[in-house]
Amino acid sequence: WKDRGAAVGVRREVDADGRVTMKPVKKGVRDFTFGRILGEGSYSTVYLATDRQTLREYAVKVLEKKHIIKEKKIKYVNIEKNTLNRLTEHPGIVRLYYTFQDETSLYYVLDLCTGGELLGVLKKAGTFDVECTRFYGAQILDAIDYMHSRGIIHRDLKPENVLLDEQMHVKITDFGTAKLLRDPRDPRPPEETPGQSGEDDERAASFVGTAEYVSPELLTEKSASTASDIWAFGCIIYQLLAGRPPFKAGTEYLTFQKIVKLEYEFPPGFPPAARDLVERCLVLDPAQRFTVEHIKKHEFFAGQMFGKELWRMKAPRLR
Ligand SMILES: NC(=O)c1nn(CC2CCNCC2)c2c1CCc1cnc(N=C3C=CCC=C3)nc1-2
């Protein structure tokens, strides 16, 4: 597990003859003060942490080496790190600054999102109005577009993984279950890109996202594609306006049944343009499902800017 990230500091050293040299140093766990836990995964814990030199706050994700080895999760860890290394310059994706390790753990130093989860904000508001849904939908779509352009499928998009920064702008996180397609920029032939060419069988066979947002093809053919993220996007747009996800039943199995039978309906008063958009994302056949380009041109996003302009917009007040 090669650490990533340039040397992130320098240390002044004086030798016996009084010669001063500035040594590049990598940060380590001692350079941080660890605060509260922000979240816990099956093999990671995410802490609020402060860089003791710069006093800048980060989210530091800590993975315990012996647990990863025991649970045979090394592939997941490398997939996440390779994914984060590819997704470096987009405002809508949590940024990995650098990694380091000590004898017991691996550490990822990531953007801190002080606004918490979009799910929490939605629960407080109950439902979003069209203006808020357009803004947050557009930011999530812009980030999905960038991920897909870099050959990354998230596979577990949901309002809990859509975080908010201090300007209440979107930051998508948790790429531990992402699927890496061949990097379109990587000139090497597929056989020479070890572990990058995509899915190994046991990961593909075993993985399913969170019940309410998982796409039908992932349940029936065990195959994920960029269209799987569009299905989740449709579920999120529905949930922002309705206050609940489209497919929710008493058990995971019953939820899966509703998904594969496309069993959902819209509450009265659901905005017609949003309804049309959701219906074109929640299509059972992934090949017939709307693409990012179709969605950007849809009536619901008429007049909505994407790209750099979108990320300069002030987040709308949540009513
Ligand atoms: N799995 C991760 O990579 C991850 N997990 N969290 C916390 C989770 C809490 C449950 N829902 C999903 C996120 C984070 C990250 C990335 C980096 C990251 C950056 N900032 C925050 N901030 C939070 C602030 C308040 C509540 C939750 C998270 N959280 C994270």
Side-chain angles (χ1 to χ4, degrees):
W1 198 71
K2 284 195 304 300
D3 282 347
R4 177 212 177 246
V8 281
V10 284
R11 186 179 41 237
R12 190 170 176 278
E13 284 194 352
V14 186
D15 66 15
D17 309 326
R19 267 195 301 271
V20 176
T21 49
M22 301 308 276
K23 284 273 232 202
V25 288
K26 269 184 75 68
K27 297 257 178 186
V29 66
R30 284 174 308 287
D31 295 299
F32 292 89
T33 304
F34 283 75
R36 74 183 180 96
I37 289 179
L38 296 170
E40 298 184 85
S42 44
Y43 51 100
S44 65
T45 304
V46 182
Y47 295 89
L48 172 63
T50 307
D51 180 320
R52 289 157 59 159
Q53 250 182 335
T54 64
L55 297 186
R56 199 169 146 185
E57 290 187 313
Y58 294 93
V60 177
K61 186 170 189 173
V62 184
L63 299 97
E64 211 187 335
K65 287 181 181 176
K66 69 175 191 302
H67 183 54
I68 294 167
I69 293 162
K70 186 161 69 70
E71 301 290 317
K72 298 190 178 56
K73 296 289 182 192
I74 296 175
K75 270 186 186 149
Y76 279 85
V77 172
N78 281 318
I79 290 267
E80 179 167 29
K81 193 165 69 82
N82 295 340
T83 300
L84 288 168
N85 286 345
R86 276 199 208 173
L87 299 173
T88 46
E89 64 267 340
H90 192 279
I93 293 177
V94 162
R95 185 175 154 201
L96 171 66
Y97 291 94
Y98 45 85
T99 62
F100 53 80
Q101 57 183 298
D102 59 18
E103 54 289 345
T104 59
S105 307
L106 305 171
Y107 301 85
Y108 294 58
V109 179
L110 298 152
D111 269 326
L112 172 66
C113 302
T114 50
E117 302 170 0
L118 181 63
L119 181 69
V121 168
L122 176 63
K123 280 190 173 156
K124 218 179 289 169
T127 58
F128 280 9
D129 61 16
V130 167
E131 187 202 1
C132 289
T133 302
R134 271 166 54 102
F135 175 80
Y136 285 103
Q139 291 209 330
I140 294 168
L141 188 71
D142 207 63
I144 291 173
D145 194 11
Y146 172 72
M147 274 183 244
H148 290 177
S149 72
R150 310 304 307 281
I152 306 282
I153 305 168
H154 188 285
R155 293 202 303 183
D156 196 17
L157 283 176
K158 54 185 176 180
E160 294 91 319
N161 284 339
V162 178
L163 298 181
L164 299 166
D165 65 13
E166 55 292 329
Q167 297 159 300
M168 295 305 275
H169 279 193
V170 156
K171 289 264 184 211
I172 291 184
T173 188
D174 204 347
F175 290 86
T177 52
K179 178 175 179 179
L180 269 73
L181 306 171
R182 258 182 54 67
D183 185 340
R185 298 173 313 162
D186 185 334
R188 291 176 297 177
E191 55 283 358
E192 282 178 30
T193 50
Q196 307 273 339
S197 57
E199 204 60 63
D200 38 45
D201 300 349
E202 40 90 28
R203 245 168 63 85
S206 62
F207 174 71
V208 152
T210 304
E212 285 79 7
Y213 308 89
V214 72
S215 58
E217 65 273 12
L218 213 61
L219 292 171
T220 51
E221 284 111 57
K222 295 270 170 234
S223 68
S225 70
T226 52
S228 310
D229 285 341
I230 299 296
W231 174 279
F233 177 79
C235 292
I236 292 171
I237 295 296
Y238 176 104
Q239 182 169 356
L240 295 182
L241 288 162
R244 60 176 173 78
F247 306 101
K248 188 149 185 65
T251 66
E252 270 203 355
Y253 176 76
L254 290 172
T255 302
F256 292 156
Q257 276 206 325
K258 282 179 175 277
I259 291 167
V260 296
K261 292 192 302 195
L262 204 59
E263 220 177 271
Y264 77 106
E265 60 270 329
F266 293 91
F270 198 92
R275 172 173 180 144
D276 184 75
L277 174 61
V278 169
E279 285 171 344
R280 294 170 189 275
C281 294
L282 301 186
V283 171
L284 289 178
D285 176 358
Q288 300 303 316
R289 216 169 284 161
F290 251 18
T291 63
V292 166
E293 282 323 304
H294 289 132
I295 298 171
K296 283 184 174 178
K297 292 187 185 101
H298 187 272
E299 175 200 354
F300 180 71
F301 284 114
Q304 176 66 50
M305 290 175 289
F306 290 91
K308 281 198 177 7
E309 297 305 308
L310 168 59
W311 297 90
R312 287 197 198 104
M313 282 173 69
K314 200 168 164 327
R317 178 173 303 290
L318 293 156
R319 274 190 287 281

